[in-house]
């Protein structure tokens, strides 16, 4: 079958091959036919080595499709079911799951070190234990979450990562208060979802910050009240908050430099929410005096920071009610052969989300 493979970490392009096989099917597993997958920035970060990932590998972790085959011992799923791919499946039994923090469950992640693809040249890993830039994938049953019939595959795919991450940061992690001031640094798919989450929560001012003009324009369509380039942020803080700083600042880039900027733009006693996925050797610094004296709350948010299945259901409910716009987040569509075009669109900031149709 066809799949897009990265041969070595650091390479910029994927090779679309037709000699790949999805392996590992058995008890507790399901085989999926992927129909749509989004390109998330984490895929690019894994390709470049910013995020740890063994190679060769098939990127993609934001996908949806149909169940083809169900292994022994799997309940609640059968062939033909429409599902989205959850890259951080919950075991339901560990201390994190029992606390309602299933996004911190590591049980399913242990599979990420086992290759779930093969080709004549040898084993191939799937990104984060999934790998959705492919026609078929074998994953643990917990990675396949049934979706209602009215949710198109491309919308379900977005909910599988970017939308859940961004909405959850505003709703679960930061719990943005009605009437508050919010700045969102980085306005790709996750940043746009954060903006939509802040709007749903009733933020009074939502300032979108991005160096790319087309993304600033997009942010205004999704609920930002103002959009500025990074060099205009300090001026906006002065104008909007009287210099005090924003109640909430979301860092959706994944770099220490932008996190430091976000920290400085947060008011004393306000909340800095770190959503971006960064590198292990990129250290954020704060001095011990400011840390204690300014009492800024630093809240990291992983995958929406809450019960994952509940976050999916909430995203679907908000989308159905017209309270969030997910269709317009898909700015580009390609077939698998166009996957390298999709990478270029993301790297240059032209796209919010590119949907790869399979
Ligand atoms: Zn668990
Ligand atoms: Zn992602």
């Amino acid at each position: 079958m066809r799949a897009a493979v990265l041969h070595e970490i650091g390479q910029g392009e994927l090779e679309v091959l037709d000699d790949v096989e999805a392996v590992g099917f058995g008890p507790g597993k399901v085989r999926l036919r992927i129909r749509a997958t989004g390109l998330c920035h984490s895929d690019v970060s894994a390709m470049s080595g910013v995020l740890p990932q063994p190679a060769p590998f098939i990127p993609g972790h934001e996908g949806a499709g149909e169940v083809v085959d169900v292994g022994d011992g799997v309940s609640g799923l059968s062939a033909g079911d429409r599902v989205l791919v959850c890259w951080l499946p919950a075991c339901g039994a560990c201390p994190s799951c029992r606390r309602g923090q299933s996004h911190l469950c590591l049980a399913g992640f242990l599979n990420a070190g086992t290759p779930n693809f093969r080709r004549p040249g040898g084993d191939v890993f799937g990104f984060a234990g999934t790998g959705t830039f492919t026609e078929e994938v074998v994953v643990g049953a917990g990675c396949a979450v049934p979706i209602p019939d009215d949710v198109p595959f491309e919308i379900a795919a977005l909910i599988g990562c970017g939308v859940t991450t961004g909405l959850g940061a505003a709703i679960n992690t930061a719990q943005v208060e009605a009437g508050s001031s919010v700045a969102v640094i980085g306005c790709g798919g996750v940043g746009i979802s954060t903006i939509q989450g802040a709007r749903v929560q009733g933020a009074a001012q939502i300032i979108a910050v991005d160096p790319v003009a087309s993304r600033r324009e997009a942010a205004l369509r999704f609920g930002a009240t103002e959009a500025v380039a990074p060099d205009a942020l300090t001026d906006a803080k002065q104008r909007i908050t009287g210099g005090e700083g924003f109640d909430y600042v979301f860092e959706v880039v994944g770099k220490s430099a932008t996190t430091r900027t976000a920290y400085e733009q947060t008011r004393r006693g306000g909340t800095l929410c770190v959503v971006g996925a960064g590198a292990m050797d990129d250290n954020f610094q704060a001095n011990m005096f400011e840390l204690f004296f300014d009492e800024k709350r630093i809240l990291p948010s992983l995958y929406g920071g809450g019960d994952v299945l509940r976050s999916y259901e909430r995203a679907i409910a908000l989308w159905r009610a017209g309270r969030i716009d997910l269709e317009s987040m898909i700015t580009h569509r390609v077939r698998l052969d166009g996957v390298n075009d999709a990478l270029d669109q993301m790297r240059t900031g032209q796209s919010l989300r590119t949907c790869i149709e399979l």
Side-chain angles (χ1 to χ4, degrees):
M1 62 158 194
R2 283 150 50 80
V5 177
L6 186 83
H7 295 290
E8 280 175 43
I9 299 299
Q11 289 177 332
E13 295 227 319
L14 298 171
E15 188 178 5
V16 178
L17 298 164
D18 58 10
D19 59 1
V20 182
E21 191 189 348
V23 298
F25 182 73
K29 299 291 183 76
V30 292
R31 182 188 300 277
L32 306 180
R33 173 69 172 87
I34 299 295
R35 294 293 177 190
T37 178
L39 173 60
C40 178
H41 202 270
S42 300
D43 297 311
V44 177
S45 296
M47 289 173 61
S48 67
V50 168
L51 296 177
Q53 169 64 40
F57 82 98
I58 295 173
H61 58 287
E62 192 180 86
E66 291 142 359
V67 176
V68 176
D69 211 352
V70 175
D72 290 342
V74 174
S75 57
L77 286 171
S78 42
D81 283 356
R82 304 169 75 255
V83 295
L84 68 73
V85 175
C86 171
W87 57 268
L88 203 50
C91 74
C94 74
S96 293
C97 283
R98 291 203 308 271
R99 284 185 199 109
Q101 293 180 309
S102 67
H103 65 297
L104 297 179
C105 177
L106 290 174
F109 225 57
L110 300 176
N111 290 328
T114 308
N116 52 342
F117 297 97
R118 193 163 48 216
R119 50 182 302 260
D123 289 338
V124 180
F125 296 89
F127 180 38
T130 59
T132 56
F133 291 0
T134 172
E135 292 171 338
E136 282 193 3
V137 62
V138 171
V139 291
C143 294
V145 179
I147 51 170
D149 287 342
D150 64 330
V151 182
F153 288 128
E154 58 186 31
I155 296 297
L158 297 192
I159 292 172
C161 187
V163 166
T164 292
T165 300
L167 278 183
I171 301 173
N172 294 331
T173 307
Q175 299 178 12
V176 169
E177 275 189 30
S180 57
S181 61
V182 171
V184 177
I185 301 177
C187 298
V190 177
I192 292 292
S193 301
T194 305
I195 288 168
Q196 299 207 65
R199 191 191 56 191
V200 165
Q201 292 288 100
Q205 286 107 10
I206 303 173
I207 312 309
V209 187
D210 199 285
V212 180
S214 62
R215 286 189 170 185
R216 295 198 296 273
E217 284 157 25
L220 294 170
R221 293 196 297 275
F222 287 97
T225 53
E226 196 173 331
V228 299
D231 59 7
L233 177 57
T234 299
D235 174 62
K237 175 178 87 168
Q238 197 64 36
R239 204 160 21 81
I240 292 160
T241 73
E244 192 189 8
F246 296 96
D247 296 319
Y248 303 87
V249 181
F250 292 87
E251 197 274 358
V252 200
V253 179
K255 293 205 165 108
S256 60
T258 37
T259 302
R260 182 66 214 183
T261 299
Y263 184 81
E264 285 161 13
Q265 301 294 331
T266 305
R267 71 162 165 81
R268 297 184 68 221
T271 298
L272 160 60
C273 186
V274 180
V275 190
M280 287 184 184
D281 60 356
D282 185 15
N283 294 303
F284 168 73
Q285 281 199 333
N287 70 57
M288 290 307 290
F289 178 78
E290 64 186 358
L291 201 56
F292 124 87
F293 189 73
D294 290 335
E295 214 185 67
K296 297 180 184 182
R297 298 183 299 156
I298 302 175
L299 300 180
S301 185
L302 174 66
Y303 203 16
D307 183 281
V308 174
L309 298 184
R310 192 163 158 260
S311 292
Y312 292 163
E313 286 166 8
R314 186 177 51 206
I316 291 169
L318 288 167
W319 167 77
R320 254 189 208 139
R323 303 285 303 277
I324 56 174
D325 177 3
L326 304 185
E327 282 85 352
S328 308
M329 287 177 58
I330 301 167
T331 51
H332 296 73
R333 285 166 209 278
V334 296
R335 309 292 298 185
L336 194 57
D337 288 326
V339 68
N340 289 306
D341 297 334
L343 288 168
D344 286 344
Q345 287 152 6
M346 165 155 285
R347 290 192 185 108
T348 55
Q350 295 170 58
S351 59
L352 296 178
R353 268 295 183 271
T354 299
C355 179
I356 302 169
E357 294 164 337
L358 288 141

